[in-house]
Amino acid sequence: MHCLDGANTSVEAGSESRILETTKFVAGSGKISSDPDKDRRRVIIVGIPGVGKSTVVKRAVELLKERNLEPALVNYGSTMMQEATHRHGLKSRDEMRKLPVDLQRSLQIYAAERISLMENKAVIVDTHLFIVTKEGFWPGMPLDVLRALKPTHLVLVAASLEEIKSRRESDTTRARDIATLESLSTEMEAAKSLFFASSLICGCPALIVANPTGQADDAAKKIISSVFSY
C-alpha cells in the first residue's frame, strides 16, 4: 500500500491512475478486466404487461438509429425458441413450454450466453422479469441467467395502475385474466423488488422510466439520454 502524501510518490500515483483508467469491473462477476470498448451497452428493458414496454422499446430503437448507432433489438423469448429449435428440433413455443423445467432453464442460459456475445455497440434486450403462474411469480431472469447475460444497464418501464388496467382491458390481441388494481399493485411491487435485486446481482444501474398514456416518445428519450449519453 502506497502513501500518496509523500513528495516522491507522484510517479507511482500516476501509474496507478493509468491502470485504473484502463480497467473496469465485469458486471456480475466481481472481477476486474480490461475493456477497450467501454461505450458498449447491453440494456435489458422490462415491464409488466400493460405498461407499454413494446412501444417504448420500438421508439428507443428508432431514436438510436437516428443517431447512427444501429442497435440490435433482441426478444429474449425468440432467442430461446431459436436455441430450442437448434438443440431439440422444436417448432413452436408451445412445444418449448412443455419441456421439462431443467431443459427450459438450460435454454434460458444458452439464450443469455448467445446474447452476451453480440458485438453490437448497442444491444437492447426485450424480456420479462417474471411470469405469473398458479404457483406464484416465476422469475424470467434467475441468477444464472443474469450472470450469463452480463447487462450493463437495466430499465423498468412503469405506468399508473389505472393506466395498466385500462390498457390490458382494451388489448383484444391477448386473452388475459381480469386484473384488479390490488393484483396489479402486487405485480408492480414484485417487479420493482426483482428489478432492484437484479441490479444488485449485476452491479449495474437500474433506471425506472414512467410511460403515461401518449408519452412513449418522452419515455424513450429518457432511456436514450440516461443510458446512451456517451
Side-chain angles (χ1 to χ4, degrees), residues 175-193:
R176 293 192 175 104
D177 295 333
I178 298 176
T180 64
L181 292 178
E182 182 179 3
S183 66
L184 290 176
S185 177
T186 301
E187 282 189 46
M188 281 302 303
E189 289 177 9
K192 289 180 179 179
S193 296

Side-chain angles (χ1 to χ4, degrees), residues 66-197:
E66 291 174 6
R67 297 176 58 173
N68 297 317
L69 286 178
E70 294 303 322
L73 174 59
V74 181
N75 182 284
Y76 191 79
S78 297
T79 305
M80 277 187 65
M81 187 63 235
Q82 290 170 4
E83 289 293 329
T85 300
H86 172 69
R87 297 174 184 276
H88 303 290
L90 303 187
K91 298 181 180 180
S92 71
R93 292 197 183 190
D94 287 332
E95 287 182 306
M96 183 170 63
R97 282 193 287 268
K98 294 177 182 178
L99 288 174
V101 174
D102 58 337
L103 286 182
Q104 292 192 48
R105 289 294 305 280
S106 296
L107 289 174
Q108 280 185 307
I109 297 173
Y110 289 139
E113 291 175 342
R114 180 175 175 180
I115 293 169
S116 72
L117 293 174
M118 297 180 69
E119 297 183 352
N120 303 68
K121 191 171 183 179
V123 176
I124 294 179
V125 182
D126 182 352
T127 188
H128 298 286
L129 271 171
F130 58 78
I131 299 172
V132 180
T133 72
K134 292 181 180 179
E135 299 177 69
F137 296 117
W138 183 24
M141 295 189 297
L143 179 62
D144 47 3
V145 172
L146 278 170
R147 286 176 171 168
L149 273 172
K150 299 182 179 69
T152 62
H153 296 75
L154 297 174
V155 177
L156 173 66
V157 180
S160 72
L161 300 182
E162 291 77 13
E163 287 175 312
I164 295 172
K165 187 174 186 298
S166 175
R167 292 170 186 173
R168 288 192 186 184
E169 291 174 347
S170 62
D171 184 1
T172 58
T173 65
R174 300 290 299 274
R176 293 192 175 104
D177 295 333
I178 298 176
T180 64
L181 292 178
E182 182 179 3
S183 66
L184 290 176
S185 177
T186 301
E187 282 189 46
M188 281 302 303
E189 289 177 9
K192 289 180 179 179
S193 296
L194 285 171
F195 181 64
F196 288 120

Side-chain angles (χ1 to χ4, degrees), residues 195-208:
F195 181 64
F196 288 120
S198 299
S199 173
L200 180 63
I201 291 168
C202 298
C204 63
L207 174 69
I208 298 180

